Amino acid sequence: MWYVIEGYDGPGAAEGRRTARPAHLERLRALADAGRLLLAGPCPAIDAEDPGEAGFSGSLVVAEFPSLAEARAWADADPYMDAGVYVRVEVRPFKRVLP
């Protein structure tokens, strides 16, 4: 089943994003290589493709996992969690309709 994983950045998350990004992307690439990643990316804190100093307010991942528990476990192990980027992560089932 597909799951939406939303991470919400805390104050001063920019430095944690910079340091943990390579490991964060490596995990996402592993999902993509397995054909289990629908989409992933950060949410700019302002209405701009490149938010500059405003940074990001969080991230969104839509990926396939065998269960909600496994999706939560994957989200909890994200390097952004260890780096203190996310102050909150929500994981919920997603029903893909289009495309």
Side-chain angles (χ1 to χ4, degrees):
M1 177 156 196
W2 294 99
Y3 294 90
V4 171
I5 300 170
E6 286 183 274
Y8 296 86
D9 286 18
E15 181 58 31
R17 275 185 174 273
R18 277 189 289 280
T19 60
R21 188 168 191 260
H24 172 78
L25 291 177
E26 183 178 323
R27 295 177 83 235
L28 291 170
R29 283 189 193 103
L31 284 177
D33 291 347
R36 297 174 42 208
L37 183 66
L38 184 60
L39 64 91
C43 301
I46 60 172
D47 189 15
E49 185 78 21
D50 179 357
E53 291 297 315
F56 298 96
S57 62
S59 302
L60 177 75
V61 174
V62 180
E64 191 173 35
F65 292 93
S67 69
L68 179 59
E70 290 184 57
R72 284 188 176 139
W74 186 90
D76 288 344
D78 193 294
Y80 280 180
M81 292 295 290
D82 291 337
V85 172
Y86 297 148
V87 292
R88 184 173 102 244
V89 174
E90 294 182 9
V91 181
R92 55 189 187 281
F94 177 76
K95 181 178 165 101
R96 182 178 179 183
V97 175
L98 293 171

